[in-house]
Amino acid sequence: MYTRKAPTGPRIIASQYVASAVRPDQYPEGDTVEIAFLGRSNVGKSSLINSLCNHRGLALVSGQPGKTKTINFFSITSKEDISEEEERRFEWFLVDLPGYGYAKTDKSNRNIWSSFIADYILNSERLMLLCLLVDARHPELPIDQEAFNWLREAGVPLQIVVTKTDKLNSKEKQQSRRLIKDQFPTEEPPIFYSSLKHTGRELLLNRINQVILGDEE
């Protein structure tokens, strides 16, 4: 006897590396929407991308901060069930931006990130959301605040994603939540994510789908 499958939450069903770029002429062609990820060099961005896509090794995970030196584009297909019989699919680019803030030498005049990253953030017409990653254990770092202030002043659509939440106990999580909501005020609440346990994955995918559909107020 045939049994209907119960609807499930949003999920990524295909992910593939497409291109690396440092100049606009190297970006993929077309009008596919882009969701970018940015954070401090050792914030756990690659691990989060691999978890989000359920694709181990999609983004390079390295013990050496600052390993990513280019803007990396990944072609993503995600889907969600609307009912037992109906689903909808989304085609978009996940854009992995190089981490900021890592330097072995102390240079007070160094830029927070390379000019080609700023050029992409300010000029990409396909960028619909930028996920700014913040380490749950270190929510008060000045460099993250500097990045947030720059992005907000530039009018970039932002989603705060808090990484490494599995490394905190319940009391520490509550404290981190309060600090992050105070330090990084945005219209949408921060999403707390654990790449190890995949908690927060459905929330983040729901947020991405909402943006792609244009359902925001």
Side-chain angles (χ1 to χ4, degrees), residues 94-152:
L94 187 157
V95 183
D96 182 9
L97 298 173
Y100 59 80
Y102 179 79
K104 291 184 177 180
T105 57
D106 183 14
K107 297 181 180 179
S108 58
N109 63 341
R110 64 178 170 82
N111 294 326
I112 189 170
W113 47 56
S114 300
S115 60
F116 73 87
I117 304 173
D119 289 342
Y120 165 78
I121 293 171
L122 294 175
N123 298 317
S124 176
E125 296 180 354
R126 303 180 301 192
L127 178 61
M128 298 188 68
L129 182 69
L130 189 145
C131 296
L132 179 62
L133 277 53
V134 178
D135 191 326
R137 303 167 301 173
H138 310 291
E140 295 183 285
L141 292 179
I143 195 163
D144 285 332
Q145 192 66 57
E146 183 182 350
F148 174 75
N149 291 339
W150 187 93
L151 292 164
R152 187 168 60 173

Short mmCIF file of all heavy atoms in Angstrom, two decimals, residues 94-152:
data_model
loop_
_atom_site.label_atom_id
_atom_site.label_comp_id
_atom_site.label_asym_id
_atom_site.label_seq_id
_atom_site.Cartn_x
_atom_site.Cartn_y
_atom_site.Cartn_z
N LEU A 94 25.79 30.28 -3.48
CA LEU A 94 26.37 30.53 -2.17
C LEU A 94 27.76 31.12 -2.42
O LEU A 94 28.57 30.53 -3.13
CB LEU A 94 26.47 29.23 -1.37
CG LEU A 94 26.92 29.33 0.10
CD1 LEU A 94 26.43 28.10 0.88
CD2 LEU A 94 28.43 29.45 0.23
N VAL A 95 27.99 32.30 -1.87
CA VAL A 95 29.25 33.01 -2.12
C VAL A 95 30.07 33.04 -0.83
O VAL A 95 29.66 33.61 0.18
CB VAL A 95 28.98 34.45 -2.62
CG1 VAL A 95 30.29 35.14 -2.95
CG2 VAL A 95 28.06 34.42 -3.84
N ASP A 96 31.21 32.38 -0.89
CA ASP A 96 32.12 32.27 0.26
C ASP A 96 33.17 33.38 0.15
O ASP A 96 34.05 33.33 -0.71
CB ASP A 96 32.77 30.88 0.24
CG ASP A 96 33.71 30.66 1.42
OD1 ASP A 96 33.75 31.51 2.34
OD2 ASP A 96 34.41 29.63 1.42
N LEU A 97 33.05 34.38 1.01
CA LEU A 97 33.98 35.51 0.99
C LEU A 97 35.17 35.24 1.90
O LEU A 97 35.02 34.62 2.97
CB LEU A 97 33.27 36.78 1.44
CG LEU A 97 32.11 37.24 0.55
CD1 LEU A 97 31.37 38.41 1.20
CD2 LEU A 97 32.60 37.63 -0.83
N PRO A 98 36.36 35.70 1.53
CA PRO A 98 37.55 35.49 2.37
C PRO A 98 37.36 36.07 3.77
O PRO A 98 36.72 37.11 3.95
CB PRO A 98 38.65 36.24 1.61
CG PRO A 98 38.19 36.26 0.19
CD PRO A 98 36.70 36.38 0.26
N GLY A 99 37.91 35.38 4.74
CA GLY A 99 37.82 35.85 6.12
C GLY A 99 38.62 37.12 6.34
O GLY A 99 39.58 37.40 5.63
N TYR A 100 38.20 37.88 7.32
CA TYR A 100 38.88 39.13 7.62
C TYR A 100 39.53 39.08 9.00
O TYR A 100 39.19 38.23 9.83
CB TYR A 100 37.91 40.31 7.56
CG TYR A 100 36.74 40.23 8.51
CD1 TYR A 100 36.86 40.56 9.86
CD2 TYR A 100 35.48 39.82 8.07
CE1 TYR A 100 35.78 40.49 10.73
CE2 TYR A 100 34.41 39.74 8.93
CZ TYR A 100 34.56 40.08 10.25
OH TYR A 100 33.49 40.00 11.12
N GLY A 101 40.48 39.98 9.22
CA GLY A 101 40.98 40.22 10.56
C GLY A 101 42.18 39.40 10.99
O GLY A 101 42.64 39.56 12.12
N TYR A 102 42.69 38.53 10.13
CA TYR A 102 43.85 37.73 10.55
C TYR A 102 45.13 38.32 9.98
O TYR A 102 45.22 38.59 8.79
CB TYR A 102 43.72 36.29 10.07
CG TYR A 102 44.91 35.44 10.45
CD1 TYR A 102 45.04 34.93 11.75
CD2 TYR A 102 45.92 35.17 9.54
CE1 TYR A 102 46.13 34.17 12.11
CE2 TYR A 102 47.01 34.40 9.90
CZ TYR A 102 47.11 33.90 11.18
OH TYR A 102 48.20 33.14 11.52
N ALA A 103 46.10 38.54 10.83
CA ALA A 103 47.41 39.02 10.38
C ALA A 103 48.46 38.62 11.41
O ALA A 103 48.27 38.80 12.60
CB ALA A 103 47.40 40.53 10.20
N LYS A 104 49.55 38.05 10.94
CA LYS A 104 50.62 37.67 11.85
C LYS A 104 51.41 38.88 12.33
O LYS A 104 52.07 38.84 13.35
CB LYS A 104 51.56 36.66 11.17
CG LYS A 104 50.91 35.30 10.93
CD LYS A 104 51.91 34.31 10.35
CE LYS A 104 51.29 32.94 10.19
NZ LYS A 104 52.25 31.96 9.63
N THR A 105 51.35 39.94 11.54
CA THR A 105 52.04 41.16 11.94
C THR A 105 51.02 42.20 12.36
O THR A 105 49.91 42.26 11.83
CB THR A 105 52.88 41.71 10.77
OG1 THR A 105 52.03 41.94 9.64
CG2 THR A 105 53.98 40.74 10.39
N ASP A 106 51.38 43.01 13.29
CA ASP A 106 50.47 44.03 13.81
C ASP A 106 50.60 45.29 12.97
O ASP A 106 51.55 46.05 13.11
CB ASP A 106 50.79 44.33 15.28
CG ASP A 106 49.82 45.33 15.87
OD1 ASP A 106 48.78 45.57 15.25
OD2 ASP A 106 50.13 45.88 16.95
N LYS A 107 49.65 45.50 12.08
CA LYS A 107 49.66 46.68 11.22
C LYS A 107 48.40 47.49 11.52
O LYS A 107 47.30 47.13 11.12
CB LYS A 107 49.70 46.27 9.74
CG LYS A 107 50.97 45.50 9.37
CD LYS A 107 50.96 45.15 7.89
CE LYS A 107 52.22 44.40 7.51
NZ LYS A 107 52.23 44.03 6.08
N SER A 108 48.59 48.59 12.20
CA SER A 108 47.43 49.36 12.64
C SER A 108 46.66 49.97 11.48
O SER A 108 45.49 50.29 11.61
CB SER A 108 47.87 50.47 13.59
OG SER A 108 48.81 51.32 12.96
N ASN A 109 47.31 50.10 10.34
CA ASN A 109 46.65 50.75 9.21
C ASN A 109 46.12 49.76 8.19
O ASN A 109 45.69 50.15 7.11
CB ASN A 109 47.61 51.73 8.51
CG ASN A 109 48.81 51.01 7.91
OD1 ASN A 109 49.10 49.88 8.29
ND2 ASN A 109 49.50 51.66 6.98
N ARG A 110 46.13 48.46 8.51
CA ARG A 110 45.65 47.49 7.54
C ARG A 110 44.14 47.59 7.39
O ARG A 110 43.42 47.91 8.32
CB ARG A 110 46.04 46.06 7.94
CG ARG A 110 45.41 45.59 9.24
CD ARG A 110 45.80 44.15 9.53
NE ARG A 110 45.41 43.77 10.88
CZ ARG A 110 44.19 43.39 11.21
NH1 ARG A 110 43.24 43.36 10.32
NH2 ARG A 110 43.92 43.04 12.46
N ASN A 111 43.64 47.32 6.21
CA ASN A 111 42.20 47.35 5.97
C ASN A 111 41.55 46.12 6.58
O ASN A 111 42.18 45.07 6.73
CB ASN A 111 41.91 47.38 4.47
CG ASN A 111 42.38 48.66 3.82
OD1 ASN A 111 42.35 49.71 4.45
ND2 ASN A 111 42.83 48.56 2.58
N ILE A 112 40.28 46.26 6.93
CA ILE A 112 39.58 45.12 7.52
C ILE A 112 39.45 43.97 6.53
O ILE A 112 39.47 42.81 6.90
CB ILE A 112 38.21 45.55 8.07
CG1 ILE A 112 37.58 44.42 8.88
CG2 ILE A 112 37.29 46.01 6.96
CD1 ILE A 112 36.35 44.83 9.63
N TRP A 113 39.34 44.29 5.25
CA TRP A 113 39.36 43.26 4.22
C TRP A 113 39.88 43.87 2.92
O TRP A 113 39.96 45.07 2.77
CB TRP A 113 37.99 42.62 4.01
CG TRP A 113 36.85 43.58 3.89
CD1 TRP A 113 36.70 44.60 3.01
CD2 TRP A 113 35.68 43.61 4.72
NE1 TRP A 113 35.53 45.25 3.21
CE2 TRP A 113 34.87 44.67 4.26
CE3 TRP A 113 35.23 42.84 5.80
CZ2 TRP A 113 33.65 44.98 4.84
CZ3 TRP A 113 34.02 43.15 6.36
CH2 TRP A 113 33.24 44.20 5.89
N SER A 114 40.21 43.00 1.99
CA SER A 114 40.78 43.44 0.71
C SER A 114 39.76 44.23 -0.08
O SER A 114 38.55 44.03 0.05
CB SER A 114 41.24 42.22 -0.10
OG SER A 114 42.23 41.49 0.62
N SER A 115 40.26 45.11 -0.92
CA SER A 115 39.37 45.99 -1.69
C SER A 115 38.45 45.20 -2.61
O SER A 115 37.32 45.61 -2.85
CB SER A 115 40.20 46.98 -2.50
OG SER A 115 41.06 46.30 -3.40
N PHE A 116 38.90 44.04 -3.12
CA PHE A 116 38.05 43.29 -4.04
C PHE A 116 36.84 42.70 -3.33
O PHE A 116 35.79 42.47 -3.95
CB PHE A 116 38.84 42.22 -4.80
CG PHE A 116 39.25 41.02 -3.99
CD1 PHE A 116 38.40 39.93 -3.85
CD2 PHE A 116 40.50 40.96 -3.39
CE1 PHE A 116 38.79 38.81 -3.12
CE2 PHE A 116 40.90 39.85 -2.66
CZ PHE A 116 40.03 38.77 -2.52
N ILE A 117 36.95 42.48 -2.00
CA ILE A 117 35.80 42.00 -1.23
C ILE A 117 34.79 43.14 -1.08
O ILE A 117 33.58 42.95 -1.26
CB ILE A 117 36.23 41.47 0.14
CG1 ILE A 117 37.29 40.37 -0.04
CG2 ILE A 117 35.04 40.95 0.92
CD1 ILE A 117 37.90 39.89 1.27
N ALA A 118 35.29 44.32 -0.75
CA ALA A 118 34.41 45.48 -0.63
C ALA A 118 33.72 45.78 -1.96
O ALA A 118 32.53 46.11 -2.00
CB ALA A 118 35.20 46.69 -0.15
N ASP A 119 34.47 45.66 -3.05
CA ASP A 119 33.91 45.92 -4.38
C ASP A 119 32.75 44.96 -4.66
O ASP A 119 31.70 45.36 -5.18
CB ASP A 119 34.97 45.76 -5.46
CG ASP A 119 35.99 46.90 -5.45
OD1 ASP A 119 35.68 47.95 -4.85
OD2 ASP A 119 37.07 46.73 -6.02
N TYR A 120 32.94 43.69 -4.30
CA TYR A 120 31.86 42.71 -4.52
C TYR A 120 30.63 43.07 -3.68
O TYR A 120 29.50 43.12 -4.18
CB TYR A 120 32.32 41.30 -4.17
CG TYR A 120 31.16 40.35 -4.04
CD1 TYR A 120 30.53 39.84 -5.17
CD2 TYR A 120 30.64 40.01 -2.79
CE1 TYR A 120 29.42 39.02 -5.07
CE2 TYR A 120 29.53 39.19 -2.67
CZ TYR A 120 28.93 38.70 -3.81
OH TYR A 120 27.82 37.89 -3.70
N ILE A 121 30.85 43.33 -2.38
CA ILE A 121 29.74 43.61 -1.47
C ILE A 121 28.95 44.83 -1.92
O ILE A 121 27.71 44.85 -1.88
CB ILE A 121 30.26 43.79 -0.03
CG1 ILE A 121 30.81 42.45 0.50
CG2 ILE A 121 29.16 44.31 0.89
CD1 ILE A 121 31.54 42.58 1.83
N LEU A 122 29.66 45.86 -2.35
CA LEU A 122 29.00 47.12 -2.70
C LEU A 122 28.37 47.11 -4.09
O LEU A 122 27.40 47.84 -4.34
CB LEU A 122 30.00 48.27 -2.61
CG LEU A 122 30.54 48.60 -1.23
CD1 LEU A 122 31.62 49.66 -1.32
CD2 LEU A 122 29.41 49.05 -0.29
N ASN A 123 28.90 46.29 -5.00
CA ASN A 123 28.51 46.42 -6.40
C ASN A 123 27.77 45.23 -6.99
O ASN A 123 27.24 45.34 -8.10
CB ASN A 123 29.75 46.71 -7.25
CG ASN A 123 30.42 48.02 -6.86
OD1 ASN A 123 29.74 49.02 -6.63
ND2 ASN A 123 31.75 48.01 -6.78
N SER A 124 27.72 44.10 -6.29
CA SER A 124 27.02 42.96 -6.87
C SER A 124 25.51 43.19 -6.85
O SER A 124 24.91 43.33 -5.78
CB SER A 124 27.34 41.67 -6.11
OG SER A 124 26.58 40.59 -6.63
N GLU A 125 24.91 43.23 -8.01
CA GLU A 125 23.46 43.45 -8.11
C GLU A 125 22.68 42.19 -7.77
O GLU A 125 21.46 42.25 -7.57
CB GLU A 125 23.11 43.92 -9.52
CG GLU A 125 23.72 45.27 -9.88
CD GLU A 125 23.36 45.71 -11.28
OE1 GLU A 125 22.73 44.92 -12.01
OE2 GLU A 125 23.71 46.86 -11.64
N ARG A 126 23.36 41.06 -7.68
CA ARG A 126 22.66 39.80 -7.40
C ARG A 126 22.71 39.43 -5.92
O ARG A 126 22.05 38.47 -5.52
CB ARG A 126 23.28 38.68 -8.24
CG ARG A 126 23.27 38.96 -9.73
CD ARG A 126 23.86 37.86 -10.57
NE ARG A 126 25.25 37.57 -10.23
CZ ARG A 126 26.07 36.80 -10.97
NH1 ARG A 126 25.60 36.26 -12.09
NH2 ARG A 126 27.30 36.59 -10.62
N LEU A 127 23.46 40.18 -5.13
CA LEU A 127 23.58 39.87 -3.71
C LEU A 127 22.30 40.24 -2.98
O LEU A 127 21.92 41.41 -2.90
CB LEU A 127 24.77 40.64 -3.11
CG LEU A 127 24.99 40.47 -1.60
CD1 LEU A 127 25.26 39.01 -1.24
CD2 LEU A 127 26.13 41.37 -1.13
N MET A 128 21.62 39.25 -2.44
CA MET A 128 20.34 39.49 -1.77
C MET A 128 20.43 39.41 -0.25
O MET A 128 19.55 39.91 0.45
CB MET A 128 19.28 38.50 -2.28
CG MET A 128 19.00 38.61 -3.76
SD MET A 128 17.60 37.60 -4.31
CE MET A 128 16.24 38.42 -3.52
N LEU A 129 21.47 38.76 0.26
CA LEU A 129 21.63 38.63 1.71
C LEU A 129 23.09 38.32 2.01
O LEU A 129 23.72 37.52 1.31
CB LEU A 129 20.74 37.51 2.25
CG LEU A 129 20.77 37.30 3.76
CD1 LEU A 129 20.10 38.47 4.48
CD2 LEU A 129 20.08 35.99 4.15
N LEU A 130 23.61 38.96 3.03
CA LEU A 130 24.95 38.65 3.51
C LEU A 130 24.84 38.14 4.94
O LEU A 130 24.31 38.82 5.82
CB LEU A 130 25.86 39.88 3.46
CG LEU A 130 27.34 39.58 3.74
CD1 LEU A 130 28.25 40.48 2.90
CD2 LEU A 130 27.68 39.75 5.22
N CYS A 131 25.32 36.93 5.14
CA CYS A 131 25.33 36.32 6.48
C CYS A 131 26.66 36.66 7.14
O CYS A 131 27.72 36.19 6.68
CB CYS A 131 25.15 34.81 6.38
SG CYS A 131 23.55 34.31 5.69
N LEU A 132 26.60 37.46 8.20
CA LEU A 132 27.80 37.82 8.94
C LEU A 132 27.94 36.86 10.11
O LEU A 132 27.07 36.78 10.98
CB LEU A 132 27.70 39.26 9.45
CG LEU A 132 28.89 39.76 10.27
CD1 LEU A 132 30.18 39.76 9.44
CD2 LEU A 132 28.62 41.15 10.84
N LEU A 133 29.05 36.11 10.13
CA LEU A 133 29.26 35.09 11.14
C LEU A 133 30.01 35.66 12.34
O LEU A 133 31.01 36.36 12.19
CB LEU A 133 30.05 33.92 10.55
CG LEU A 133 29.26 32.86 9.77
CD1 LEU A 133 28.39 33.48 8.68
CD2 LEU A 133 30.20 31.82 9.17
N VAL A 134 29.50 35.32 13.53
CA VAL A 134 30.10 35.78 14.78
C VAL A 134 30.29 34.57 15.69
O VAL A 134 29.37 33.76 15.85
CB VAL A 134 29.20 36.83 15.47
CG1 VAL A 134 29.82 37.27 16.79
CG2 VAL A 134 28.97 38.03 14.56
N ASP A 135 31.46 34.45 16.28
CA ASP A 135 31.77 33.35 17.19
C ASP A 135 31.01 33.54 18.49
O ASP A 135 31.13 34.57 19.16
CB ASP A 135 33.28 33.32 17.45
CG ASP A 135 33.75 32.06 18.16
OD1 ASP A 135 33.02 31.52 18.99
OD2 ASP A 135 34.90 31.63 17.89
N ALA A 136 30.22 32.54 18.88
CA ALA A 136 29.42 32.62 20.10
C ALA A 136 30.27 32.85 21.34
O ALA A 136 29.81 33.44 22.32
CB ALA A 136 28.59 31.34 20.27
N ARG A 137 31.52 32.41 21.29
CA ARG A 137 32.39 32.52 22.47
C ARG A 137 33.03 33.89 22.59
O ARG A 137 33.50 34.27 23.67
CB ARG A 137 33.49 31.45 22.40
CG ARG A 137 32.98 30.02 22.29
CD ARG A 137 34.10 29.07 21.91
NE ARG A 137 34.70 29.48 20.62
CZ ARG A 137 35.79 28.91 20.12
NH1 ARG A 137 36.40 27.93 20.79
NH2 ARG A 137 36.26 29.31 18.96
N HIS A 138 33.05 34.63 21.47
CA HIS A 138 33.74 35.93 21.46
C HIS A 138 32.88 36.98 20.75
O HIS A 138 33.25 37.48 19.69
CB HIS A 138 35.09 35.80 20.77
CG HIS A 138 35.93 34.67 21.27
ND1 HIS A 138 36.49 34.67 22.53
CD2 HIS A 138 36.31 33.51 20.68
CE1 HIS A 138 37.18 33.55 22.69
NE2 HIS A 138 37.08 32.83 21.60
N PRO A 139 31.73 37.33 21.34
CA PRO A 139 30.80 38.22 20.64
C PRO A 139 31.15 39.70 20.71
O PRO A 139 30.48 40.50 20.08
CB PRO A 139 29.47 37.96 21.35
CG PRO A 139 29.88 37.59 22.75
CD PRO A 139 31.17 36.83 22.61
N GLU A 140 32.20 40.04 21.45
CA GLU A 140 32.50 41.45 21.66
C GLU A 140 33.80 41.90 21.01
O GLU A 140 34.36 42.93 21.39
CB GLU A 140 32.54 41.76 23.16
CG GLU A 140 31.20 41.57 23.85
CD GLU A 140 31.25 41.95 25.31
OE1 GLU A 140 31.82 41.17 26.10
OE2 GLU A 140 30.73 43.02 25.66
N LEU A 141 34.29 41.15 20.03
CA LEU A 141 35.54 41.53 19.39
C LEU A 141 35.34 42.80 18.56
O LEU A 141 34.41 42.89 17.76
CB LEU A 141 36.04 40.40 18.49
CG LEU A 141 36.49 39.13 19.21
CD1 LEU A 141 36.93 38.09 18.19
CD2 LEU A 141 37.63 39.43 20.18
N PRO A 142 36.20 43.79 18.74
CA PRO A 142 36.06 45.06 18.01
C PRO A 142 36.04 44.89 16.49
O PRO A 142 35.34 45.62 15.79
CB PRO A 142 37.27 45.87 18.46
CG PRO A 142 37.61 45.33 19.81
CD PRO A 142 37.31 43.86 19.72
N ILE A 143 36.78 43.92 15.97
CA ILE A 143 36.85 43.77 14.51
C ILE A 143 35.52 43.31 13.93
O ILE A 143 35.13 43.69 12.83
CB ILE A 143 38.00 42.83 14.10
CG1 ILE A 143 38.29 43.01 12.61
CG2 ILE A 143 37.69 41.37 14.44
CD1 ILE A 143 39.62 42.46 12.18
N ASP A 144 34.78 42.49 14.69
CA ASP A 144 33.45 42.09 14.22
C ASP A 144 32.49 43.28 14.26
O ASP A 144 31.65 43.45 13.37
CB ASP A 144 32.91 40.95 15.09
CG ASP A 144 33.58 39.62 14.80
OD1 ASP A 144 34.02 39.42 13.65
OD2 ASP A 144 33.66 38.79 15.71
N GLN A 145 32.61 44.10 15.28
CA GLN A 145 31.78 45.29 15.38
C GLN A 145 32.09 46.26 14.24
O GLN A 145 31.19 46.88 13.67
CB GLN A 145 32.00 45.98 16.73
CG GLN A 145 30.98 47.06 17.04
CD GLN A 145 29.59 46.49 17.24
OE1 GLN A 145 29.39 45.63 18.09
NE2 GLN A 145 28.62 46.96 16.47
N GLU A 146 33.36 46.36 13.92
CA GLU A 146 33.78 47.23 12.81
C GLU A 146 33.19 46.74 11.49
O GLU A 146 32.68 47.54 10.69
CB GLU A 146 35.31 47.26 12.72
CG GLU A 146 35.87 48.18 11.66
CD GLU A 146 37.38 48.13 11.58
OE1 GLU A 146 38.02 47.54 12.47
OE2 GLU A 146 37.93 48.70 10.60
N ALA A 147 33.24 45.43 11.29
CA ALA A 147 32.66 44.86 10.07
C ALA A 147 31.16 45.10 10.01
O ALA A 147 30.61 45.51 8.98
CB ALA A 147 32.95 43.36 10.00
N PHE A 148 30.48 44.88 11.12
CA PHE A 148 29.03 45.08 11.18
C PHE A 148 28.67 46.53 10.89
O PHE A 148 27.74 46.81 10.11
CB PHE A 148 28.51 44.67 12.57
CG PHE A 148 27.06 44.98 12.79
CD1 PHE A 148 26.08 44.21 12.20
CD2 PHE A 148 26.68 46.04 13.59
CE1 PHE A 148 24.74 44.49 12.40
CE2 PHE A 148 25.35 46.34 13.81
CZ PHE A 148 24.37 45.55 13.21
N ASN A 149 29.38 47.46 11.50
CA ASN A 149 29.08 48.88 11.29
C ASN A 149 29.28 49.28 9.83
O ASN A 149 28.48 50.03 9.27
CB ASN A 149 29.96 49.74 12.20
CG ASN A 149 29.59 49.59 13.67
OD1 ASN A 149 28.49 49.17 14.01
ND2 ASN A 149 30.52 49.93 14.55
N TRP A 150 30.35 48.78 9.22
CA TRP A 150 30.62 49.08 7.81
C TRP A 150 29.49 48.55 6.93
O TRP A 150 28.99 49.25 6.04
CB TRP A 150 31.95 48.48 7.40
CG TRP A 150 32.42 48.86 6.02
CD1 TRP A 150 33.23 49.89 5.68
CD2 TRP A 150 32.09 48.19 4.78
NE1 TRP A 150 33.43 49.91 4.32
CE2 TRP A 150 32.75 48.89 3.74
CE3 TRP A 150 31.30 47.09 4.46
CZ2 TRP A 150 32.65 48.50 2.41
CZ3 TRP A 150 31.19 46.71 3.12
CH2 TRP A 150 31.87 47.41 2.12
N LEU A 151 29.09 47.32 7.16
CA LEU A 151 28.05 46.70 6.35
C LEU A 151 26.71 47.40 6.52
O LEU A 151 25.98 47.63 5.56
CB LEU A 151 27.92 45.22 6.72
CG LEU A 151 29.12 44.34 6.34
CD1 LEU A 151 29.06 43.02 7.09
CD2 LEU A 151 29.16 44.10 4.83
N ARG A 152 26.40 47.76 7.75
CA ARG A 152 25.12 48.42 8.02
C ARG A 152 25.09 49.80 7.37
O ARG A 152 24.08 50.20 6.77
CB ARG A 152 24.88 48.52 9.52
CG ARG A 152 23.49 49.04 9.88
CD ARG A 152 23.18 48.86 11.32
NE ARG A 152 24.12 49.54 12.19
CZ ARG A 152 23.98 49.64 13.51
NH1 ARG A 152 22.94 49.07 14.11
NH2 ARG A 152 24.87 50.28 14.24
#
